[in-house]
Amino acid sequence: MPSVTGMYLYAGITGFGYGVYSAIDQALNVDVLPNKEEAGKDLGILNLATTLGQAVGPTITSTVKTATGALRLHSPSPSSWPCAPPYSCCAFRR
């Protein structure tokens, strides 16, 4: 459904789904912590590990794009997805 309505539906459904997943995941994380007195520190480290990649990834990607002038990053086919890390550095011009 390539339309504005379709994008709103997609955003709503995926946002709701991710919110449910995050709530359950956080509850499970609290249950499996080894030491309840250090729960804040452990959950902070977990949150840092989760968000650090989201913060650094776009920075690295924009640096690679600026340096190579690539218009897109390309992985040739779904069969090569297990080898995605080497291919993710291959930039191709249109």
Side-chain angles (χ1 to χ4, degrees):
M1 198 163 131
S3 66
V4 174
T5 304
M7 289 305 296
Y8 282 129
L9 285 172
Y10 169 76
I13 292 168
T14 56
F16 177 77
Y18 187 69
V20 170
Y21 164 78
S22 295
I24 294 170
D25 188 45
Q26 191 72 3
L28 285 172
N29 285 333
V30 171
D31 282 345
V32 298
L33 289 175
N35 186 358
K36 300 296 181 188
E37 284 94 33
E38 296 182 0
K41 179 188 71 127
D42 293 339
L43 291 173
I45 292 170
L46 179 66
N47 190 30
L48 179 66
T50 301
T51 57
L52 193 60
Q54 295 171 352
V56 174
T59 305
I60 292 172
T61 304
S62 64
T63 303
V64 169
K65 184 195 179 312
T66 301
T68 63
L71 299 174
R72 62 190 168 113
L73 295 175
H74 185 273
S75 178
S77 68
S79 62
S80 67
W81 289 351
C83 304
Y87 283 119
S88 65
C89 294
C90 299
F92 297 94
R93 295 183 184 272
R94 283 192 212 184

